[in-house]
Amino acid sequence: EDALISSTRCQDPARLHYRWPLALDLLIEAFRADQAGSILNFFLSVVERTGNTFDQVILGSRSVDTNDPKNIEAVLSTQFDNFGLGARSANFRPLLGHGIFTQDGEPWRTSRELLRPQFMQTRSKSFAAIQEQIEKFVLTVKGSPDGILDLQPLFFRLTLDTTMAVLFGKTLDSLKTKISGDEVFFARAFDQAQHELARRGRLGDLYWLLDGITFRRSCKVVHEFVDKIVGDALNETKSPTSSQEPSGRYVFLTALISKTRDQRVLRDQLINILLAGRDTTACLLSWTIHQEIQQRLRNECLDLPSFKNGGLPTPAEIKGMRLLGNVLQEVLRLYPSVPVNSRSALKTTTLPTGGGPDGTSPVLVRKGEAVGYCVYAMHRRKDIYGDDADNFRPSRWDPENKEGPNLKGVGWGYLPFNGGPRVCPGQDFALLEASYTVIRLLQSFQHVEKAEQSQAQEKQTLTLVVASANGFDQTPIILTTFRSNRAMMNPAATSDLTDAGWSPSIADTSLDMVTKRT
């Protein structure tokens, strides 16, 4: 250690101060902020007091926290082999088992090699499943009784159904009669277990102090739910030779069974992917729809050739939508999929910057110490994104943008899907699903606007992702349907969906100027 300090000239970073022994006052403040829906604002206030890189000693354990792009790049990429998941593996294991998000070293590499080919297939073969579920979702929104409608839970249901359709070839609707219990019970258990994992994570190595009966029961519900699906799939594929269902559609689980028939491996990996596939995209959609959506974005959606010809959006069209891309990029900046994360040093090492009086010297990290990084705080740094870093401004991503810093070389300063070898393998799927959903909502509704300007402070629910805790009471949005919806009225637009066993109902064409709120 002395030799490393001497050779690198590392220095101590700023220290996060506390008043009570073991920093119990900080823990109480953090848990209160979590209950109030302001935990991420609490993190921002800590950064404002200490700077972008600091260390802390909580419950007797030292750790380093940073939102510096150079340090995050070191942890996730250039010094990847020096860091592991630490206590996160054991903390997450009751829910996620031995899946790709809880593994390190060789087990993680094995999982990556097992799953990577399936993700590559998902990118190119899952569009039909995405399309079908989103079209059903649009009909649900249009067919709901007039009044107040909270879209956030519907987004979570949509992304759960979409992810399950791709993973299992089935959705909750088709499973309701086969699996005991209500699908809401499963979704609630999934939410409760994740929230508890996040709370446990804030205790570091002492995560086990939060291990109640409710948490374990929630994990058991999730496991039994997925075990039933995996068991049925194994029975139906005694001699798997294809990744496709009889319908011809690609199914992730069927493809995975061709590589392993270990039921525990299948269950754990699928729960890991289900968590990432549902929550990240649902949160992205929720934050997007609660922004001021400009008429320009609707015009971009209405100008698509497919819509003008009475059809549905194509992947090629979606990829070319520059304004929509900027909007989603800006939402992911303000509300990144995983706003807070951490790694643990596998050996005594250093971070490249953050130490000393000027914060530019390397920082020592001892073996076993955690390095936390807050992408949420980094994405709001004014020295990276300009004085309006806290504001929603999609135009900042335009190559011709003249307002504020040029973000062309922002690099590790923008990290919506993590980075390095553990970069999110499903980011293309998430962006495609979110893009298609936004397009179809704006094509289906003539107005998407806030009914009133709320003065209430934004509240957030932080599990492993960040969702809005305000609900429609705080941020109502009015959706008004078009008098004529060409895409939904044209049979050609839904022919593929009809072939797959789904067909539009009379609700597609009978609703006229219906106002909803979310």
Side-chain angles (χ1 to χ4, degrees):
E1 180 178 312
D2 291 339
L4 182 63
I5 294 173
S6 176
S7 63
T8 60
R9 298 183 180 180
C10 58
Q11 298 187 56
D12 291 334
R15 169 64 57 88
L16 177 60
H17 295 290
Y18 52 87
R19 300 184 306 275
W20 296 1
L22 302 178
L24 291 177
D25 55 313
L26 290 176
L27 284 177
I28 292 173
E29 189 177 357
F31 277 101
R32 284 177 176 170
D34 182 39
Q35 291 176 340
S38 59
I39 184 66
L40 290 174
N41 284 331
F42 168 72
F43 292 154
L44 291 178
S45 70
V46 169
V47 171
E48 188 174 342
R49 297 200 305 264
T50 59
N52 293 320
T53 300
F54 58 92
D55 69 0
Q56 57 188 3
V57 181
I58 296 181
L59 299 179
S61 298
R62 177 185 184 260
S63 61
V64 177
D65 287 88
T66 186
N67 60 47
D68 191 295
K70 291 181 181 177
N71 288 339
I72 295 175
E73 180 183 15
V75 170
L76 299 182
S77 180
T78 55
Q79 296 173 220
F80 177 78
D81 291 334
N82 290 350
F83 294 92
L85 299 180
R88 179 175 123 182
S89 293
N91 175 22
F92 284 13
R93 197 159 290 137
L95 176 64
L96 301 183
H98 296 272
I100 192 168
F101 296 138
T102 65
Q103 293 173 317
D104 266 329
E106 197 55 40
W108 168 75
R109 291 183 177 87
T110 300
S111 290
R112 184 181 60 172
E113 293 308 309
L114 174 68
L115 297 176
R116 178 186 285 173
Q118 318 318 326
F119 276 110
M120 295 296 292
Q121 293 290 325
T122 300
R123 291 178 189 176
S124 59
K125 297 182 178 180
S126 62
F127 185 69
I130 294 175
Q131 187 179 53
E132 178 177 347
Q133 297 308 316
I134 294 173
E135 292 303 325
K136 290 180 180 179
F137 165 79
V138 171
L139 293 183
T140 298
V141 174
K142 293 182 69 176
S144 299
D146 189 16
I148 295 177
L149 179 67
D150 188 0
L151 276 180
Q152 180 162 278
L154 290 181
F155 283 144
F156 273 85
R157 175 60 188 270
L158 164 67
T159 54
L160 180 60
D161 274 349
T162 304
T163 306
M164 291 186 69
V166 173
L167 290 182
F168 308 137
K170 303 177 177 71
T171 66
L172 285 174
D173 283 331
S174 65
L175 291 169
K176 272 194 285 191
T177 58
K178 295 183 181 180
I179 294 181
S180 60
D182 193 317
E183 73 274 6
V184 175
F185 186 47
F186 161 73
R188 187 181 297 120
F190 208 29
D191 288 339
Q192 289 172 341
Q194 289 178 65
H195 185 71
E196 200 63 14
L197 289 183
R199 293 179 69 238
R200 285 155 53 100
R202 288 169 206 141
L203 295 180
D205 291 338
L206 298 178
Y207 66 88
W208 47 269
L209 290 173
L210 296 176
D211 194 22
I213 295 175
T214 301
F215 170 60
R216 291 289 173 168
R217 185 183 297 123
S218 296
C219 295
K220 186 171 184 282
V221 169
V222 173
H223 290 172
E224 290 177 348
F225 184 87
V226 178
D227 276 337
K228 179 67 168 61
I229 298 171
V230 171
D232 288 346
L234 286 170
N235 291 333
E236 293 168 3
T237 55
K238 295 296 185 183
S239 302
T241 58
S242 171
S243 61
Q244 293 185 337
E245 292 286 283
S247 64
R249 288 197 175 176
Y250 173 81
V251 177
F252 195 101
L253 174 56
T254 307
L256 207 55
I257 288 175
S258 69
K259 304 297 181 183
T260 177
R261 295 185 66 85
D262 186 315
Q263 185 161 350
R264 181 68 180 269
V265 169
L266 292 169
R267 183 194 77 186
D268 289 351
Q269 299 292 7
L270 289 169
I271 291 176
N272 279 244
I273 300 166
L274 185 61
L275 180 149
R278 184 195 77 150
D279 290 47
T280 55
T281 310
C283 290
L284 171 57
L285 285 167
S286 296
W287 291 116
T288 299
I289 209 66
H290 280 87
Q291 304 300 325
E292 294 289 345
I293 299 178
Q294 310 94 329
Q295 184 62 38
R296 284 179 56 216
L297 181 55
R298 178 176 290 98
N299 290 341
E300 186 179 47
C301 297
L302 298 180
D303 285 341
L304 292 179
S306 60
F307 184 76
K308 291 181 176 180
N309 293 326
L312 297 172
T314 68
E317 286 179 321
I318 295 172
K319 189 175 182 180
M321 296 180 69
R322 186 162 132 184
L323 180 57
L324 176 59
N326 289 345
V327 167
L328 294 179
Q329 202 166 0
E330 181 72 346
V331 172
L332 285 168
R333 181 185 72 83
L334 290 172
Y335 307 100
S337 299
V338 182
V340 181
N341 214 326
S342 68
R343 294 291 185 269
S344 180
L346 299 176
K347 56 186 285 190
T348 298
T349 184
T350 62
L351 298 178
T353 189
D358 61 357
T360 61
S361 299
V363 174
L364 182 71
V365 182
R366 296 177 180 85
K367 181 178 179 179
E369 291 181 341
V371 176
Y373 58 99
C374 184
V375 176
Y376 183 89
M378 180 177 71
H379 282 183
R380 292 167 184 255
R381 284 181 54 169
K382 290 179 171 58
D383 58 329
I384 297 177
Y385 290 99
D387 292 337
D388 66 346
D390 291 328
N391 299 335
F392 177 75
R393 183 169 66 82
S395 62
R396 75 176 75 246
W397 298 102
D398 283 338
E400 298 86 7
N401 173 45
K402 302 300 182 184
E403 300 178 52
N406 185 339
L407 299 180
K408 185 177 181 180
V410 68
W412 286 83
Y414 182 68
L415 210 66
F417 292 103
N418 219 351
R422 297 191 83 126
V423 66
C424 174
Q427 59 182 297
D428 291 339
F429 178 88
L431 289 173
L432 179 62
E433 181 179 6
S435 297
Y436 191 99
T437 305
V438 171
I439 293 168
R440 293 298 295 125
L441 281 175
L442 294 183
Q443 288 179 343
S444 301
F445 293 94
Q446 190 169 8
H447 299 291
V448 179
E449 57 191 0
K450 290 184 180 179
E452 57 190 44
Q453 294 298 324
S454 173
Q455 300 301 315
Q457 183 179 2
E458 177 182 278
K459 293 184 179 181
Q460 302 161 338
T461 299
L462 180 63
T463 53
L464 305 180
V465 294
V466 56
S468 173
N470 291 76
F472 60 88
D473 292 329
Q474 301 283 356
T475 51
I477 289 181
I478 293 178
L479 297 93
T480 308
T481 59
F482 286 96
R483 288 189 177 277
S484 172
N485 191 320
R486 290 167 290 170
M488 296 306 296
M489 291 174 66
N490 189 335
T494 53
S495 60
D496 291 340
L497 305 179
T498 304
D499 292 343
W502 171 86
S503 60
S505 69
I506 189 67
D508 295 359
T509 56
S510 63
L511 294 177
D512 183 28
M513 298 299 289
V514 178
T515 299
K516 313 279 185 241
R517 288 185 181 185
T518 175

